[in-house]
Amino acid sequence: MIRVGVDVGGTFTDIILERSDAGGEQSVVVTKVSSTPHDQSEGVVQGILNVCEMAGVEPGAIDAVFHGTTVATNLVIERGGARVGMITTRGFRDIMHMGRHKRPHNFSLQFDVPWQSKPLVKRRDRLVVTERILPPDGRIEVPLAEDEVKQAAELFAKRGMDAVIIGFLFSFLNDEHEQRAKEIVSSVLPDTYVCCSSEVVNSIREYERFSSTAMNAYIGPKTSAYLRKLEGRLRAAGVGGIIRIMQSNGGITTVEKSSELPIGLLMSGPAGGVIGGRWTGDNCGKSNIITIDIGGTSADIGVIQDGDLRIKNPRDTEVGLLPVLVPMIDIDAIGAGGGSIAYLDPGGAFRVGPRSAGAVPGPACYGKGGTEPTVTDAQVVLGRLDPEQFLGGDIKIDAALSETAIRDHIAGPLGLSLDDAALGILKIVNNNMALAINANSMAKGVDPRNFTLMGFGGAGPLHAVSLAEAIHAKDIISPVQPGITAATGLLVTDLQYEYTHPLLMVLDNASDADFKTVNDALDGLMEQAHQQLDADGIPREARRFQRIAECRYVGQGFELRAAMPDGTVDAGNARTIIDSFYDEHKKIYGHAFRDQACELITLRLVATVAVETLALPELAHGGRENPDEARLYSRRTVFDDGQAHDTPRYQREKLLAGDRVSGPAVVIQHNSTTIVPPGYVAQVMRFGDILIGRN
């Protein structure tokens, strides 16, 4: 079997090819190509063809392609999505404008409210119709005025809308009106992207539900067009294997499902990195890990605690400062990477990022027209990146251009030496990243002193030790292939679907009739899951299911996930759900009121199918100290203390298990460079990962 993982970043597209034969022999080939921001599919297909050539296989021999993409996220951040129209319940046109009446910055007199200043659906494109459904049972109080729906659809047709959403009040309890309205709109606008709020987010909270549905439609046309184009390009290139797409919840899904609900792809790219980090941690015997994926444009931070991925609380799931009620791995992203531009602001302050040079023109040293200094240029000036070794020599860089850019824009204006200016760039960007790591760890009850920092992405191992010092992490891991760890994560990710059913029920005093409602709803979710997996051709014995109860205290703002007992839920085992909710509340918030009533809000079923995991061969044992066999040459390198050392370079491919390299040292490979400062020692683990700690 031949499987390929492809992760698209802002600067580079990372590709990994795994080949396994009938005898159990496995081989792995990796590469990177420049991303093509104008059309990501071009870089994806070129990268796949390149890795096939390197591996000596034909594209037609590929059995599966797994893809992590930033297309959906970029559409939201750059506000480049579709023009969306909305049909909603009369009297609730401005829900999308009012939101939750939150001030993004409580004490600012000049703040931006993105859902008002840059709405996904403009007010003139939000039309109302007569209908009303009431809680708690979803009964129809006022029938749907179908003629009004048709008139609204005809008006949207005249306006040339790209997409239309239907969001009615309490449709999560009864979607009859939304589905009928969708039929009418689709008959008038057969080629328009149409979706209902009950299809996208079938849960309580009308603002978040409407906003999430609007985002799904906003990114829907272009995301589905991209996926179709990608599939077409792959087929034209001779790739006939299945195509699977990474989701924000850490699972993979089909192209068809991704086109229908593209909102699930909003954190597709970073999710693969955290999953790849967990897999690497398993290989190294580490279960508590802080991951930081540093690419050319951004740094993505995640936390793995006791081997588990953290799922964001619904109150925190947002993209572009807009709420997104879909499950997401808890990842924070900041504008800090190799392409982050260093500059002096109008007040003369020395800043780095979030503006990035990206893939084009890229850092000054690329020689593609960029003249502003970047983090990569600082690494080059300090001797941490060798021009002839950059990306294995595939990309030629010019150190003189880096020196000129830093001298002209930073060193000269501030009266600094070239080395001090370059060190300043790194100190600022490292401080920005350290603050973001603390926000995703210490601020959420995680003590970094008990965690390993894992730095990956092309630039991760260059910054990892400095960041570990800043947050006081206990040690550092540089994965075996840091530059393609996110792509690796795609090959160790399960096929996954999630289904929800809304309920409003206090568990402490639930009746037998209430528990029957719960069990009937669970049976319905199972049936939906089996239908989807049947369509995917998944055998019954390979299917796994996790049932989740999303609960809160009565009157509380947001719910938490609680574990459910196996089998039928009744008064005898409902306490399992309640106690699990208390435990989770204690873990998240630091306290739990075990004498207060627990309310069930949503039932969630997670259906997964385990894929064949990636297996790396163990390295031969070396056990050597600073092995001469792996040593290339020495070169002047400046470290964080400002001291320059004649620093040896080691070729990572020639290091063996148990080898130890004492700092100062630089470990070079095709897709990344690992820095081992003075006072540290790097030890090679059995699969080739490098564990770095104090000497």
Side-chain angles (χ1 to χ4, degrees):
M1 172 174 277
I2 298 176
R3 302 187 303 154
V4 176
V6 184
D7 178 68
V8 179
T11 305
F12 291 107
T13 294
D14 308 328
I15 303 98
I16 178 171
L17 181 147
E18 178 211 18
R19 176 170 49 184
S20 56
D21 58 29
E25 292 292 324
Q26 290 186 313
S27 60
V28 173
V29 180
V30 302
T31 191
K32 296 169 81 78
V33 298
S34 294
S35 295
T36 50
H38 63 281
D39 183 353
Q40 288 187 9
S41 65
E42 289 184 13
V44 170
V45 174
Q46 185 59 54
I48 291 176
L49 294 178
N50 286 1
V51 81
C52 285
E53 183 178 353
M54 294 169 61
V57 301
E58 292 296 323
I62 295 175
D63 296 289
V65 174
F66 300 87
H67 179 32
T69 177
T70 56
V71 166
T73 309
N74 291 344
L75 286 173
V76 178
I77 294 174
E78 297 169 5
R79 286 298 194 268
R83 184 181 176 189
V84 182
M86 180 180 186
I87 298 175
T88 190
T89 305
R90 187 174 301 280
F92 293 89
R93 178 186 190 185
D94 288 324
I95 287 289
M96 295 275 287
H97 181 84
M98 294 184 296
R100 289 283 171 187
H101 288 293
K102 288 183 179 179
R103 295 166 60 99
H105 304 285
N106 283 336
F107 301 105
S108 172
L109 297 178
Q110 297 175 326
F111 62 86
D112 178 51
V113 182
W115 52 91
Q116 295 179 0
S117 63
K118 296 180 286 290
L120 297 178
V121 185
K122 296 178 180 178
R123 190 174 192 272
R124 64 177 176 269
D125 294 326
R126 300 195 296 265
L127 306 181
V128 297
V129 299
T130 302
E131 70 86 38
R132 199 62 186 271
I133 290 172
L134 295 181
D137 54 0
R139 70 181 186 276
I140 296 176
E141 180 72 10
V142 179
L144 175 66
E146 297 187 4
D147 57 329
E148 296 178 10
V149 176
K150 185 177 180 181
Q151 291 170 9
E154 290 171 345
L155 181 56
F156 287 149
K158 292 179 181 178
R159 293 180 179 178
M161 309 305 291
D162 302 310
V164 176
I165 66 171
I166 296 114
F168 293 150
L169 209 61
F170 297 110
S171 61
F172 66 95
L173 295 173
N174 181 351
D175 67 352
E176 181 181 333
H177 283 177
E178 282 196 351
Q179 291 299 327
R180 177 56 186 145
K182 181 179 179 179
E183 292 177 3
I184 296 171
V185 173
S186 296
S187 67
V188 177
L189 297 165
D191 299 322
T192 300
Y193 193 96
V194 184
C195 57
C196 302
S197 72
S198 54
E199 296 171 335
V200 178
V201 180
N202 191 28
S203 63
I204 196 171
R205 295 188 189 89
E206 62 271 12
Y207 167 59
E208 287 82 1
R209 179 158 48 90
F210 291 174
S211 179
S212 299
T213 308
M215 190 170 291
N216 188 73
Y218 186 75
I219 64 178
K222 290 188 177 180
T223 301
S224 57
Y226 165 74
L227 294 173
R228 288 194 301 270
K229 182 183 293 185
L230 172 65
E231 188 172 31
R233 284 185 184 275
L234 288 172
R235 302 308 183 219
V239 179
I242 63 172
I243 303 170
R244 293 289 184 263
I245 311 297
M246 171 63 77
Q247 300 179 92
S248 58
N249 62 6
I252 54 175
T253 188
T254 62
V255 170
E256 293 75 16
K257 197 71 174 178
S258 299
S259 298
E260 179 185 340
L261 292 173
I263 193 172
L265 308 184
L266 282 171
M267 294 300 286
S268 166
V274 181
I275 294 169
R278 178 175 64 176
W279 174 77
T280 300
D282 289 341
N283 290 341
C284 298
K286 302 284 187 179
S287 59
N288 289 326
I289 302 166
I290 296 173
T291 65
I292 182 159
D293 182 356
I294 308 175
T297 304
S298 65
D300 304 316
I301 300 149
V303 174
I304 301 161
Q305 192 166 13
D306 298 327
D308 293 329
L309 303 177
R310 293 194 318 194
I311 301 296
K312 277 192 175 183
N313 190 300
R315 72 171 189 273
D316 298 325
T317 53
E318 61 178 33
V319 175
L321 300 178
L322 298 172
V324 182
L325 279 188
V326 294
M328 289 185 178
I329 294 178
D330 193 352
I331 300 171
D332 286 344
I334 65 168
S340 294
I341 294 171
Y343 63 99
L344 303 182
D345 71 13
F350 188 176
R351 300 187 182 278
V352 180
R355 190 163 58 91
S356 173
V360 179
C365 60
Y366 283 16
K368 295 182 179 180
T371 58
E372 295 180 284
T374 67
V375 172
T376 296
D377 292 308
Q379 302 280 16
V380 172
V381 165
L382 296 173
R384 303 183 185 190
L385 286 176
D386 298 340
E388 69 273 22
Q389 298 288 348
F390 191 75
L391 206 60
D394 291 349
I395 292 182
K396 304 298 181 184
I397 61 175
D398 187 341
L401 295 176
S402 294
E403 294 175 2
T404 299
I406 293 177
R407 184 179 293 110
D408 292 350
H409 292 270
I410 304 296
L414 293 180
L416 299 174
S417 69
L418 195 60
D419 284 352
D420 285 343
L423 280 171
I425 293 173
L426 296 190
K427 287 180 180 179
I428 292 172
V429 77
N430 284 341
N431 185 64
N432 293 342
M433 289 189 283
L435 290 173
I437 292 172
N438 284 333
N440 202 0
S441 56
M442 291 180 64
K444 297 179 181 179
V446 169
D447 187 348
R449 292 174 297 181
N450 300 322
F451 281 69
T452 295
L453 180 72
M454 185 181 296
F456 51 84
L462 285 165
H463 297 264
V465 175
S466 298
L467 293 173
E469 288 181 341
I471 67 171
H472 305 290
K474 66 177 183 178
D475 49 25
I476 304 102
I477 287 178
S478 171
V480 60
Q481 295 287 357
I484 54 90
T485 299
T488 300
L490 297 168
L491 299 186
V492 296
T493 302
D494 294 341
L495 179 67
Q496 181 169 312
Y497 297 105
E498 296 199 20
Y499 303 91
T500 60
H501 185 92
L503 288 173
L504 298 175
M505 179 186 303
V506 178
L507 287 173
D508 301 72
N509 56 12
S511 64
D512 290 342
D514 291 332
F515 286 120
K516 183 179 185 306
T517 301
V518 170
N519 291 308
D520 288 346
L522 289 171
D523 290 342
L525 295 178
M526 287 289 290
E527 181 59 30
Q528 291 182 55
H530 280 305
Q531 288 178 2
Q532 180 63 58
L533 295 174
D534 285 342
D536 290 343
I538 305 298
R540 292 264 170 163
E541 62 272 14
R543 304 174 187 183
R544 296 179 298 177
F545 301 96
Q546 180 188 13
R547 305 190 307 178
I548 297 168
E550 297 185 351
C551 304
R552 66 182 183 184
Y553 290 114
V554 175
Q556 193 174 22
F558 287 87
E559 55 273 13
L560 297 174
R561 292 188 170 196
M564 296 191 70
D566 295 330
T568 302
V569 180
D570 54 33
N573 59 19
R575 195 74 213 177
T576 302
I577 303 174
I578 298 171
D579 288 340
S580 176
F581 165 69
Y582 290 153
D583 293 342
E584 188 67 14
H585 200 283
K586 174 74 173 178
K587 179 180 176 181
I588 298 297
Y589 297 113
H591 65 272
F593 303 107
R594 297 182 181 269
D595 59 341
Q596 298 298 307
C598 173
E599 184 178 20
L600 173 62
I601 300 298
T602 305
L603 293 172
R604 184 179 297 273
L605 178 72
V606 182
T608 58
V609 180
V611 300
E612 181 182 350
T613 192
L614 178 66
L616 296 178
E618 292 192 29
L619 298 183
H621 183 73
R624 304 165 295 179
E625 293 285 337
N626 302 321
D628 288 335
E629 296 87 343
R631 186 164 174 160
L632 293 169
Y633 52 84
S634 295
R635 189 167 292 175
R636 177 184 183 271
T637 305
V638 181
F639 291 89
D640 288 354
D641 59 1
Q643 298 299 309
H645 297 266
D646 189 38
T647 304
R649 268 59 172 164
Y650 290 88
Q651 192 171 351
R652 188 162 184 173
E653 290 78 6
K654 293 185 178 180
L655 293 174
L656 302 178
D659 285 352
R660 289 166 55 89
V661 174
S662 299
V666 175
V667 182
I668 294 173
Q669 64 191 115
H670 180 272
N671 56 72
S672 190
T673 298
T674 302
I675 299 293
V676 186
Y680 283 84
V681 62
Q683 181 172 342
V684 182
M685 310 294 279
R686 60 180 183 143
F687 293 109
D689 306 293
I690 293 178
L691 180 67
I692 305 173
R694 289 224 174 247
N695 200 341

